[in-house]
Amino acid sequence: MQDLIQVTGIILKQTPIGEYDRRICLLTKERGKISAFVRGSRKPGSRLSSATNPFSFGVFKLHVGKNAYNVQEADIQNYFEDLRMDYIGAYYGMYFVEISDYYTRENSDEKEMLRLLYQSLRALSVPSLSKELVRYIFEMKSIVINGEFPGLPVDWRLEASTEYAVQFIVNAPIEKLFTFTVSDSVLIELEQLSQHYRSKLWDREFKSLEIIKTLC
């Protein structure tokens, strides 16, 4: 039997291929961001049809072909069904996926981005957390993980609570990120900071963010 590997990851996106197949983009712990074909997944009754949806997290067994990976089995451990049922939350999730796709590469160590994406998708389903706060945390921490965080702007006057929140985002382990809430005034300053960092560091606009702005 030809080589099989096992990876743990989240599906970032899927694309129909031909009449019956799909190609998925996976962010994995072992191999960074990879693409893989899921043969026959569009056929009625395919056992792999549910394992091609964006946000799905699990363990995938892949056949390593000469030029491509092919999914042989998938054990999906979290479909994020609550998020799929939340129209606005789903767009936030799509936005996080777009950022993850933007930052990650194949055969790079993307464990931290994978953990951040997973925990952020979970946080979107927590009623006590505002989705805006989850978004600003995700944006800033993704910049930190990728070594681009420039620090607080030296000429800005911010509330002490805002400065504390930013330092917490920068330094806290990913599993501890979504354990706090902030006042409305701090949330506004975090929004301003996040906009500042995006305009300075990112070279594109993300479609899902534009949709979020029209919905919120």
Side-chain angles (χ1 to χ4, degrees):
M1 179 178 288
Q2 292 178 302
D3 291 345
L4 280 176
I5 64 168
Q6 181 171 290
V7 297
T8 300
I10 292 178
I11 297 176
L12 301 181
K13 55 187 175 182
Q14 58 103 334
T15 307
I17 299 292
E19 188 174 358
Y20 296 118
D21 305 333
R22 288 187 176 95
R23 182 173 60 229
I24 60 173
C25 179
L26 271 172
L27 181 58
T28 73
K29 180 173 66 174
E30 295 82 4
R31 300 206 173 190
K33 183 175 67 177
I34 61 174
S35 294
F37 291 96
V38 191
R39 307 293 183 185
S41 59
R42 297 170 64 200
K43 290 182 179 180
S46 168
R47 63 185 177 83
L48 291 174
S49 62
S50 61
T52 60
N53 295 321
F55 307 154
S56 297
F57 171 83
V59 177
F60 300 81
K61 289 186 178 179
L62 310 176
H63 167 251
V64 184
K66 184 176 181 180
N67 299 309
Y69 296 102
N70 292 277
V71 177
Q72 301 297 307
E73 297 179 32
D75 177 15
I76 304 301
Q77 298 166 6
N78 194 338
Y79 288 97
F80 289 99
E81 289 294 343
D82 291 345
L83 189 57
R84 295 178 193 280
M85 299 295 291
D86 179 357
Y87 182 70
I88 294 177
Y91 274 107
Y92 275 94
M94 291 168 60
Y95 176 52
F96 297 170
V97 161
E98 282 194 86
I99 295 173
S100 300
D101 187 34
Y102 171 75
Y103 266 126
T104 54
R105 301 290 183 272
E106 185 171 358
N107 294 321
S108 295
D109 184 353
E110 307 293 359
K111 295 184 186 70
E112 290 294 284
M113 278 302 296
L114 176 62
R115 290 168 59 211
L116 177 62
L117 177 59
Y118 181 78
Q119 294 297 336
S120 300
L121 293 176
R122 290 184 63 195
L124 287 174
S125 299
V126 177
S128 60
L129 287 174
S130 78
K131 290 179 174 56
E132 291 87 355
L133 177 59
V134 174
R135 172 191 149 193
Y136 306 144
I137 293 172
F138 180 87
E139 289 172 335
M140 290 188 199
K141 194 66 170 182
S142 66
I143 292 169
V144 171
I145 287 171
N146 287 279
E148 297 180 340
F149 188 72
L152 290 168
V154 295
D155 55 345
W156 285 34
R157 297 184 62 182
L158 300 167
E159 290 188 29
S161 294
T162 302
E163 294 186 5
Y164 178 83
V166 172
Q167 292 305 316
F168 182 83
I169 293 167
V170 170
N171 296 309
I174 289 171
E175 288 76 14
K176 301 291 186 181
L177 281 176
F178 303 102
T179 58
F180 70 97
T181 58
V182 298
S183 66
D184 290 343
S185 59
V186 170
L187 190 66
I188 289 171
E189 290 190 342
L190 290 176
E191 177 185 15
Q192 293 168 344
L193 282 167
S194 189
Q195 169 61 37
H196 172 74
Y197 296 136
R198 293 199 314 272
S199 65
K200 294 288 186 182
L201 300 172
W202 295 351
D203 62 1
R204 70 189 67 181
E205 295 289 333
F206 295 99
K207 294 180 181 178
S208 48
L209 180 58
E210 297 305 310
I211 296 173
I212 289 170
K213 289 177 180 178
T214 67
L215 295 175
C216 300

